[in-house]
Amino acid sequence: MVDKTKVSVWEIPLAILKGFYTTFKHLFRKPITIEYPEKIRPAMYPRYRGLHFLERYEDGTERCVSCGLCAAACPADAIYMEPAENEKGERYAKVYEINELRCIFCGFCEEACPEEAIFLGKEFEFSADHRDKFIYTKEDLLVPWPRKKPSEVEFKRKNRRVF
Ligand code: SF4
């Protein structure tokens, strides 16, 4: 019977040489990884789902009418809202909050919204040092007005999966 616990004298230097060969093979290759956060990928994939944002109409009014369909569709129970009416009798979300720690970024809220008010954007850098900072309020989520970049509604319509 062969004793497998015994190692021949040549096996150890051979294993070391193999290790060096592997190291040197990769030494002059272009790295696949990038030095985040110094370098950031120029663009996320078109269907990447990151931090939510609440859209506005072209006149700046909020699209969300606080119907609650996003909250009903959310499997993680991450959305909370309180509706109210403005002076014209139109519904809007007086309170709109998303707990990004609960969120699983499934995109169901975006699909459920009949007003095209909520979307998952490309933002992925929203780390924080306290749990409370992951509760995003309406003020955090609404796109700035006047707009700093063009609306993504058209882009989202084109890229939406239709079942
Ligand atoms: S992406 Fe999914 S889990 Fe996150 S808030 Fe929307 S429906 Fe809920």
Side-chain angles (χ1 to χ4, degrees), residues 52 74-76 79 103-109 120:
H52 303 75
C74 178
I79 304 176
C103 177
I104 55 168
F105 299 91
C106 62
F108 285 2
C109 49
L120 281 90

Coordinates of all heavy atoms in Angstrom, one line a residue, residues 52 74-76 79 103-109 120, ligand 1:
H52 N -34.5 54.9 -4.9 CA -35.7 55.3 -5.5 C -35.7 56.9 -5.7 O -35.0 57.6 -5.0 CB -36.9 55.1 -4.5 CG -37.1 53.7 -4.2 ND1 -36.3 53.0 -3.2 CD2 -38.0 52.8 -4.5 CE1 -36.7 51.8 -3.1 NE2 -37.7 51.6 -3.9
C74 N -45.5 46.2 -2.4 CA -44.2 46.0 -1.7 C -44.1 44.7 -0.9 O -44.8 44.6 0.1 CB -43.8 47.2 -0.9 SG -42.2 47.0 -0.1
P75 N -43.3 43.8 -1.3 CA -43.3 42.5 -0.5 C -42.5 42.7 0.9 O -42.6 41.8 1.7 CB -42.5 41.5 -1.4 CG -41.7 42.4 -2.3 CD -42.4 43.7 -2.4
A76 N -41.8 43.8 1.0 CA -40.9 44.0 2.2 C -41.6 45.0 3.1 O -41.0 45.3 4.2 CB -39.6 44.5 1.7
I79 N -42.7 50.7 2.4 CA -43.2 52.0 2.0 C -44.4 52.5 3.0 O -45.2 51.7 3.3 CB -43.8 52.0 0.6 CG1 -42.7 51.6 -0.4 CG2 -44.3 53.4 0.2 CD1 -43.1 51.5 -1.8
C103 N -36.0 47.5 2.0 CA -36.2 47.3 0.6 C -35.3 46.2 0.0 O -34.1 46.1 0.4 CB -35.9 48.6 -0.1 SG -36.0 48.6 -1.9
I104 N -35.9 45.4 -0.9 CA -35.1 44.4 -1.6 C -34.8 44.8 -3.1 O -34.4 43.9 -3.8 CB -35.7 43.0 -1.4 CG1 -37.2 43.0 -2.0 CG2 -35.7 42.5 0.0 CD1 -37.8 41.7 -2.1
F105 N -35.2 46.0 -3.4 CA -35.0 46.5 -4.8 C -35.5 45.6 -5.9 O -34.9 45.4 -6.9 CB -33.5 46.8 -5.0 CG -33.0 47.8 -4.0 CD1 -32.4 47.4 -2.8 CD2 -33.1 49.2 -4.2 CE1 -32.0 48.3 -1.8 CE2 -32.7 50.1 -3.3 CZ -32.2 49.7 -2.1
C106 N -36.7 45.1 -5.6 CA -37.4 44.2 -6.6 C -38.0 45.0 -7.7 O -38.2 44.5 -8.8 CB -38.5 43.4 -5.9 SG -39.8 44.4 -5.1
G107 N -38.4 46.3 -7.5 CA -39.0 47.1 -8.5 C -40.5 47.0 -8.6 O -41.1 47.6 -9.5
F108 N -41.1 46.3 -7.7 CA -42.6 46.1 -7.8 C -43.3 47.4 -7.6 O -44.4 47.7 -8.2 CB -43.1 45.1 -6.7 CG -42.8 43.7 -7.0 CD1 -42.1 43.3 -8.2 CD2 -43.2 42.7 -6.2 CE1 -41.9 42.0 -8.5 CE2 -43.0 41.3 -6.5 CZ -42.3 41.0 -7.6
C109 N -42.8 48.3 -6.8 CA -43.4 49.6 -6.5 C -43.5 50.4 -7.8 O -44.5 51.0 -8.2 CB -42.7 50.4 -5.4 SG -40.9 50.5 -5.6
L120 N -36.9 53.4 -9.6 CA -35.7 53.0 -8.9 C -34.6 53.5 -9.9 O -34.5 53.2 -11.0 CB -35.6 51.5 -8.7 CG -36.3 51.0 -7.5 CD1 -37.8 50.6 -7.9 CD2 -35.7 49.8 -6.9
Ligands
SF4_1 S1 -38.3 48.0 -4.7 FE1 -39.6 46.3 -3.9 S2 -39.0 46.1 -1.8 FE2 -38.3 48.1 -2.5 S3 -39.9 49.6 -1.9 FE3 -40.2 48.9 -4.0 S4 -41.7 47.2 -3.9 FE4 -40.8 47.5 -1.8

